[in-house]
């Protein structure tokens, strides 16, 4: 991680910020469906985004 320049660090911060926004949108999309498969997939996606955000944050 010592090799990252300012632009790369900024990109990582943006990814972390966007993952939070994506989870908020996913929560909204879940309200639009009654399909359990879709809801399960959306939950899984949000969990993966949250995990990615945590891993990236730990690297910084």
């Amino acid at each position: 991680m010592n090799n990252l320049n300012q632009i790369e660090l900024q990109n990582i911060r943006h990814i972390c910020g966007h993952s939070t926004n994506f989870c908020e949108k996913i929560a909204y999309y879940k309200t639009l469906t009654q399909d359990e498969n879709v809801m399960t997939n959306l939950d899984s996606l949000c969990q993966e985004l949250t995990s990615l955000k945590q891993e990236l944050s730990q690297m910084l």
Side-chain angles (χ1 to χ4, degrees), residues 25-35 38-39 42:
K25 289 180 182 184
I26 287 169
Y28 169 71
Y29 293 142
K30 281 178 53 179
T31 66
L32 301 177
T33 186
Q34 298 298 322
D35 187 340
V38 172
M39 292 174 72
L42 291 174

Side-chain angles (χ1 to χ4, degrees), residues 42-60:
L42 291 174
D43 282 336
S44 175
L45 180 58
C46 191
Q47 288 173 353
E48 290 295 323
L49 286 168
T50 302
S51 175
L52 173 64
K53 178 181 174 180
Q54 289 172 347
E55 289 179 29
L56 288 173
S57 295
Q58 290 173 357
M59 289 181 358
L60 298 177

